[in-house]
Amino acid sequence: MKIKAKMIGMDLDGTLLTTQKELTAYTKDVLRRAIDQGIIVMPATGRPLSGLPKELLEFPGIMYAVTANGGRILDIRTGESLYECLVPADVSSRIMDVFEHYDTLREIYYDGIGYAQEDGLMCIEKYLESPPMMKYLMSTRKWVPDIRAKLREENRGADKVQGLFASVEDRDAAKEELKAVPGIEITGALEKNIEVNAEGVNKGNAMVRLGESLGIHREEIMAFGDGTNDAKMLKTAGVGVAMANAALEVKNAADAITLSNDEEGAAVYIDSHVLGREGRRKC
């Protein structure tokens, strides 16, 4: 059955992009055809604006982006921030207090730019196993010698605060500590990371907010994701689609499951269920 979608939001890592962080030719063709039909197609990512692939920033017809897990909605044609819900400076400081108890690579996002602790980036292989993810992080972050000093210097709300941990055990212990910090939303997308936003912030709420401003109802929004930071988005959207490589929590939150990111699952689903073609592969 053909689904009437007026807005499609897609996570990037593990969803729209392959494991090698590539946007395939078939995926680009499907996105172009969806845009030609008047559908709002947009990234819905935990990345900052500075971390969005140039191909998407310059993609004809892609006008908006949900970044930092919904902490910021952007008009990427102008760079204007249409909405922001930030982590207050004192709360960011408390989050850093927790992260500093463990062996972590610490990051904080301001105004769509990700800042990361220099010494952590220098030994990034302790915190990440995927070479493409390492390359992405090292090439898109502003390296700072002291992330705590950066926080004090800015002394204002942050889009998102992130910690990448040397072990799952440390990550889990830090999550327990963070429960004592009020007014935050705790999630993650990688095996050993914690992403912290202001309370109530998630990609789904951001997409609904943008939809309302464009006259698009929640039921007309479709979303794709794979990480735990996508679960609320899939629950909130009119149609939530999990990738075959998604976490179990995400699959349980979804209305449907498509092929994996390396099988171009998002494009295949849009092609067959929204554009009404059989697509290159069935799912």
Side-chain angles (χ1 to χ4, degrees):
M1 183 180 71
K2 189 173 178 181
I3 299 170
K4 185 175 177 59
K6 292 186 177 180
M7 176 187 288
I8 302 176
M10 295 155 291
D11 173 57
L12 298 182
D13 301 298
T15 300
L16 190 66
L17 304 179
T18 67
T19 301
Q20 296 303 313
K21 308 302 177 192
E22 294 170 342
L23 189 67
T24 69
Y26 172 63
T27 295
K28 287 188 279 190
D29 179 60
V30 170
L31 297 185
R32 284 191 195 98
R33 285 190 284 108
I35 291 167
D36 288 345
Q37 290 194 15
I39 298 169
I40 300 293
V41 172
M42 57 188 292
T45 178
R47 294 186 182 202
L49 175 63
S50 62
L52 294 186
K54 186 177 179 182
E55 278 183 300
L56 285 176
L57 288 173
E58 297 178 352
F59 201 97
I62 292 184
M63 299 179 287
Y64 307 103
V66 168
T67 64
N69 289 334
R72 192 176 290 276
I73 304 172
L74 292 156
D75 183 328
I76 60 177
R77 300 163 298 179
T78 64
E80 178 189 1
S81 181
L82 304 177
Y83 168 80
E84 59 184 41
C85 186
L86 308 179
V87 184
D90 61 326
V91 177
S92 295
S93 182
R94 290 187 65 181
I95 296 164
M96 285 294 179
D97 289 342
V98 173
F99 288 171
E100 287 170 356
H101 294 166
Y102 305 93
D103 184 356
T104 52
L105 167 51
R106 299 176 294 282
E107 297 188 329
I108 193 163
Y109 299 177
Y110 291 108
D111 299 327
I113 298 172
Y115 298 86
Q117 182 85 18
E118 188 175 284
D119 57 4
L121 288 169
M122 292 297 290
C123 53
I124 196 170
E125 65 280 353
K126 291 171 63 177
Y127 313 106
L128 292 169
E129 287 74 40
S130 164
M133 183 61 76
M134 293 181 199
K135 181 180 178 181
Y136 154 71
L137 208 71
M138 295 184 74
S139 64
T140 61
R141 298 303 190 259
K142 288 202 171 182
W143 298 38
V144 294
D146 186 343
I147 201 75
R148 173 71 72 167
K150 179 64 179 175
L151 194 157
R152 288 195 298 266
E153 173 193 331
E154 296 290 341
N155 192 31
R156 61 192 175 100
D159 298 6
K160 188 180 86 171
V161 185
Q162 175 169 235
L164 290 91
F165 291 75
S167 72
V168 171
E169 292 76 18
D170 281 357
R171 180 206 63 188
D172 291 345
K175 276 187 179 179
E176 286 300 311
E177 284 196 60
L178 286 169
K179 289 179 180 178
V181 181
I184 61 173
E185 198 82 28
I186 303 168
T187 186
L190 306 173
E191 183 184 5
K192 297 184 296 185
N193 84 323
I194 292 176
E195 303 174 38
V196 187
N197 288 93
E199 187 173 14
V201 167
N202 64 70
K203 299 177 185 181
N205 286 346
M207 288 185 66
V208 169
R209 179 181 288 269
L210 178 61
E212 288 172 350
S213 72
L214 299 173
I216 297 172
H217 301 296
R218 184 189 68 81
E219 294 76 16
E220 298 170 316
I221 297 173
M222 178 179 286
F224 292 82
D226 74 298
T228 55
N229 64 335
D230 297 319
K232 288 185 177 179
M233 173 174 71
L234 300 195
K235 284 182 179 178
T236 303
V239 178
V241 184
M243 312 303 291
N245 51 287
L248 180 59
E249 174 189 343
V250 182
K251 290 179 178 177
N252 289 340
D255 300 297
I257 299 173
T258 186
L259 301 171
S260 74
N261 63 314
D262 286 327
E263 297 171 295
E264 303 165 305
V268 170
Y269 194 90
I270 294 167
D271 211 358
S272 59
H273 291 79
V274 179
L275 302 181
R277 303 198 328 164
E278 279 198 20
R280 200 164 75 177
R281 301 183 184 92
K282 291 183 179 180
C283 60

